[in-house]
Amino acid sequence: MRLNDLFYSIATGSKRLRLLLTPVGLVIFFGMLLLVVFGSLYLDKVLGFSKLLSGPIGTLIGVVLLSLGLVIWAWCIVWFSKAKGTPVPFNPPRELVTAGPYTWSRNPMLTGVFIFLFGIGFLLHSVSLVFVLTPVFVIFNVLELKLIEEPELERRFGESYIEYRQRVPMFFPKAPGVSKSK
């Protein structure tokens, strides 16, 4: 069974199974975030990297990015909860969420997480977190979205998701008046 088939069967399966797997998904996700953060600190130490913007400028950039990422992340969670779902792919909303931050980006929650990680990187003054492991985490998530999540969403929501995917960019909102090329 392919992963997108597994996710589809769980996302459309029994409520009990979805509820049981939600904490598992959360543990996996937060475990990956912790691995990225602590792995980068270890990498900084092993490779002997000096501190990234170790003064107040780095801390300020970190606080701003971390705060912005958390706000975006929380805003997305609110919209998912309004649609009676969770951010965990095992227990997603039953309807396609295209309002709120999802008007401008198909994956604003991940955009918020990426910004949050960059903020943590600047706050911890970690070269590896800002320039190595967060970009690797972004690439990993893009691959996961393309290979697993988007095919599952297309299967679950059909033409409405295909139209949404064509109209709304994956991460970064387009500038006003700029149309997405096909």
Side-chain angles (χ1 to χ4, degrees), residues 125-126 156:
H125 311 290
S126 171
R156 194 157 29 108

Side-chain angles (χ1 to χ4, degrees), residues 107-174:
N107 299 285
M109 191 175 316
L110 276 176
T111 302
V113 171
F114 301 155
I115 293 168
F116 170 83
L117 277 175
F118 281 116
I120 292 286
F122 279 101
L123 211 55
L124 297 175
H125 311 290
S126 171
V127 170
S128 295
L129 188 50
V130 172
F131 295 109
V132 180
L133 291 186
T134 296
V136 167
F137 184 76
V138 170
I139 291 167
F140 172 80
N141 277 276
V142 168
L143 290 172
E144 184 276 332
L145 286 167
K146 286 298 196 187
L147 298 174
I148 300 168
E149 206 166 314
E150 286 191 340
E152 188 277 326
L153 288 166
E154 186 174 329
R155 184 173 174 189
R156 194 157 29 108
F157 296 115
E159 197 58 44
S160 62
Y161 180 73
I162 293 169
E163 185 276 325
Y164 176 68
R165 187 180 62 211
Q166 290 171 343
R167 181 174 42 85
V168 178
M170 184 179 244
F171 292 111
F172 303 106
K174 58 188 173 202

Side-chain angles (χ1 to χ4, degrees), residues 15-164:
K15 183 176 183 174
R16 183 172 186 265
L17 180 61
R18 290 191 321 270
L19 290 175
L20 284 172
L21 289 177
T22 297
V24 173
L26 287 171
V27 167
I28 291 169
F29 179 74
F30 283 108
M32 286 179 14
L33 287 181
L34 289 172
L35 185 64
V36 167
V37 171
F38 287 108
S40 68
L41 295 176
Y42 178 75
L43 197 57
D44 284 343
K45 184 177 179 181
V46 167
L47 296 176
F49 288 146
S50 58
K51 299 273 185 197
L52 175 68
L53 296 175
S54 62
I57 294 289
T59 302
L60 178 63
I61 291 170
V63 168
V64 168
L65 290 175
L66 183 136
S67 301
L68 177 63
L70 284 175
V71 166
I72 294 169
W73 197 353
W75 189 22
C76 295
I77 291 170
V78 167
W79 278 94
F80 266 41
S81 66
K82 284 181 180 182
K84 296 179 176 60
T86 72
V88 179
F90 297 136
N91 193 11
R94 306 308 260 170
E95 62 189 57
L96 183 61
V97 179
T98 60
Y102 294 89
T103 303
W104 304 288
S105 167
R106 293 193 317 269
N107 299 285
M109 191 175 316
L110 276 176
T111 302
V113 171
F114 301 155
I115 293 168
F116 170 83
L117 277 175
F118 281 116
I120 292 286
F122 279 101
L123 211 55
L124 297 175
H125 311 290
S126 171
V127 170
S128 295
L129 188 50
V130 172
F131 295 109
V132 180
L133 291 186
T134 296
V136 167
F137 184 76
V138 170
I139 291 167
F140 172 80
N141 277 276
V142 168
L143 290 172
E144 184 276 332
L145 286 167
K146 286 298 196 187
L147 298 174
I148 300 168
E149 206 166 314
E150 286 191 340
E152 188 277 326
L153 288 166
E154 186 174 329
R155 184 173 174 189
R156 194 157 29 108
F157 296 115
E159 197 58 44
S160 62
Y161 180 73
I162 293 169
E163 185 276 325
Y164 176 68

